[in-house]
Structures are given as structure tokens and as C-alpha cells.
Amino acid sequence: MRLILLGPPGAGKGTQAQRLVEKHRIPQLSTGEMLRSAVAARTPVGLRAKAVMDAGELVSDAIVNAIVAERIDQEDCARGFILDGYPRTLPQADALEAMLRERSLKLDVVIEFAVDDKALVGRILKRAEEMKAAGQPVRKDDTPEVFEERLREYYKKTAPLIGYYWAKRKLKTLDGMAGIDQVTKQIEAILKDFAEKEKVA
Ligand code: AMP
């Protein structure tokens, strides 16, 4: 199963991706996490991406496309994967399509998290507090100022993907304002529906 979790920062994609990993035993491919690891390891990609990420802007398509192309060839992705935070632009979506086509693979479903913007800043600040309380490093981009830029980037560059995948009949939308367990239930319902349609086809 290959799926995309689509939604603004703080919508709960990461939390749900982790649950999907446990339940379906397929890896979560979070480009944000991969980039943060590259930054921490001071790799050439990390060094190039750091300032852009700290400002809440998007890293270049070329960089993230290359990271994803390399990652999906790894063995643990053979049964599928959950894309979290990728694609984030129309060129990335086209690149993903080409990547999958070259490997004779198919994208199954895109799950859009519909959320109320006003609640998002609160969620991000809560995440920062929780990380701090757990003694973990707080993300530099989890501040209200940088968050606003991340949200702007989302509406400008990522939200057009909703129409893109709708037109391809891949889009399913859920209520991301529901509680965590309720969102998980909505996802499982979408996946069940999808699995049943596949059986018939
Ligand atoms: P995230 O953890 O998904 O919120 O991503 C954190 C930051 O990493 C973003 O604000 C971007 O700077 C960068 N990033 C993550 N994924 C992508 C992507 N697909 N395209 C461009 N930049 C990305």
C-alpha cells in the first residue's frame, strides 16, 4: 500500500503516520524528518537545507525528490510506504508519479487532513512544549513566526495538490479536527473501503 498524508503543518499527519506504521508494518517516509537528520549530521544536503528550513520555507524540489527516490528503493519499502510531508509542490507530485511509473508501482490513496487553521498554531506550540518537557530538542521552526511562513508555503505551494489528486481520483478527505483516535478510525475506514474496491477490481 502506498499512501500520501496531505495537510498543513500541525494537522496531525506525523501522529497518524506512526500509528499506520505499527498497524500496517510499512515505513513512514517523512521528508521533514529525513532533512532534519541530514541537518543534524551536517551532510551537504543538510548544510544547504538548514537556513531554508529554519525560515519555514520549502527546500528545493530537486533535493527532496532525490531523497525520496533513494529511500523508496530500500528494502523496507517493498510492501509500501506512507509519505508524510511529500509531495509538497506540483513539480514534486509529477516527480513522484514518474518515480513510481519507472518502478511499475502505483499510488493507492491520498488522504487529506482538513483542519481549521486557527487551531494549528496552538497545536504546534503544544508540540514544542511537550518536546521540551520530554527533554527532547524543540524544532526551530515550531514558533508562531516561522509557523506562519510554513502555513503560507502550504497554501501557496501544497494546497494545489488537493485538486491535482482529486482530478486523479486519488483524494480522500478526513476531518482532522476530530480527536486522535477518531482520525485514526477515519483513516482505517478509508483504507478498508479502498481494500474492498481493490478486491472487486
Ligand atoms: P515537516 O517536518 O514536514 O513539517 O517539514 C519541516 C521542513 O522541512 C519544512 O518546513 C521544509 O522546510 C522542509 N521540507 C520537508 N518536506 C519537504 C518537501 N517535500 N519539500 C520541500 N521542503 C520540505
Side-chain angles (χ1 to χ4, degrees), residues 31 35 50 65 83 94 102 105 131 149 168 177 196:
T31 41
L35 288 165
K50 187 178 184 313
N65 289 337
L83 289 167
D94 284 335
E102 277 164 23
L105 299 174
M131 296 290 275
E149 181 57 28
K168 288 181 185 290
M177 295 314 292
E196 269 157 23

Side-chain angles (χ1 to χ4, degrees), residues 31-32 35-36 53 57 59 64 85-86 88 92 139 150:
T31 41
L35 288 165
R36 278 188 288 280
M53 291 173 73
E57 291 162 14
V59 174
V64 284
Y86 178 91
R88 250 180 163 97
Q92 288 180 24
R139 283 175 53 167
R150 289 164 65 200

Side-chain angles (χ1 to χ4, degrees), residues 5-145:
L5 303 187
L6 185 65
K13 304 184 298 293
T15 304
Q16 296 299 331
Q18 283 165 15
R19 291 186 166 199
L20 285 164
V21 168
E22 278 182 27
K23 179 142 199 243
H24 297 273
R25 304 274 159 212
I26 49 173
Q28 167 193 14
L29 310 192
S30 155
T31 41
E33 284 296 330
M34 293 182 221
L35 288 165
R36 278 188 288 280
S37 301
V39 170
R42 296 176 170 274
T43 65
V45 162
L47 293 174
R48 277 172 68 192
K50 187 178 184 313
V52 178
M53 291 173 73
D54 285 352
E57 291 162 14
L58 292 188
V59 174
S60 80
D61 291 336
I63 289 183
V64 284
N65 289 337
I67 293 179
V68 173
E70 198 184 305
R71 183 67 184 86
I72 63 173
D73 284 336
Q74 289 171 18
E75 219 176 295
D76 62 334
C77 291
R79 284 185 52 248
F81 44 79
I82 305 146
L83 289 167
D84 162 17
Y86 178 91
R88 250 180 163 97
T89 64
L90 289 169
Q92 288 180 24
D94 284 335
L96 173 67
E97 194 166 277
M99 248 178 251
L100 294 176
R101 200 182 317 115
E102 277 164 23
R103 292 162 176 80
S104 304
L105 299 174
K106 171 166 121 326
L107 175 70
D108 294 315
V109 61
V110 178
I111 302 179
E112 181 211 352
F113 287 54
V115 284
D116 169 9
D117 286 358
K118 286 186 226 71
L120 295 177
V121 186
R123 283 193 183 182
I124 287 280
L125 294 179
K126 195 165 154 234
R127 172 161 81 192
E129 271 165 27
E130 282 168 0
M131 296 290 275
K132 211 163 143 188
Q136 286 172 1
V138 176
R139 283 175 53 167
K140 261 200 171 156
D141 58 356
D142 274 353
T143 64
E145 299 74 30

